[in-house]
Amino acid sequence: MFIEGFAEDEFYFYPTFMVRDEFLEVFDIEVVEGRGFSRKFADDTLKSIMINESMVKDLGWTNESAIGKRFRSDGEERVIGVFKDFHLRSMHYMVEPMFFVCWDFLHNMLIKVSLEDMQTTLRKIEKE
């Protein structure tokens, strides 16, 4: 991808995660600047991205200055929000820069569960 404010002949790669608009809420991921994805905004699907705090730091920005920055890969996207860093992998790894793209047509399912009564939870999931 090409990033606003950086050389046009430089190509940058950051891990991209395709999520739905309710992802942040379901997994309690805090938005620290700007806003999260919403169905109220048509451009949120495929034209908006959210980046994490580590990506903000990696690019030398502040959370505030990141909002509205343009990225270009397949199309042009704008940063609408910065989300709090969280460990996607094991706690043994550092949190890496990453961004989310909202794809409303995803057919994958993520389920947030409590470990307190896993057997009951698994039975409920199997039933559904």
Side-chain angles (χ1 to χ4, degrees), residues 14-96:
Y14 289 100
T16 308
F17 295 91
M18 294 163 282
V19 301
R20 292 188 52 136
D21 59 315
E22 48 295 270
F23 183 84
L24 297 170
E25 181 181 341
V26 169
F27 289 95
D28 299 321
I29 299 169
E30 181 183 348
V31 177
V32 295
E33 190 68 41
R35 64 176 180 82
F37 297 117
S38 172
R39 292 178 190 215
K40 295 177 185 175
F41 302 97
D43 280 352
D44 278 8
T45 302
L46 300 178
K47 291 188 179 181
S48 299
I49 64 172
M50 295 186 69
I51 63 177
N52 71 344
E53 294 170 305
S54 289
M55 189 167 177
V56 169
K57 290 175 194 159
D58 193 58
L59 294 170
W61 296 340
T62 64
N63 290 345
E64 297 83 17
S65 70
I67 304 302
K69 294 283 191 191
R70 293 175 297 144
F71 285 62
R72 188 169 36 89
S73 54
D74 291 337
E76 184 173 286
E77 297 89 17
R78 289 192 182 271
V79 176
I80 61 165
V82 177
F83 59 91
K84 189 166 187 65
D85 283 345
F86 67 93
H87 286 271
L88 189 64
R89 301 189 304 167
S90 163
M91 298 287 275
H92 296 288
Y93 295 94
M94 290 179 41
V95 175
E96 297 174 318

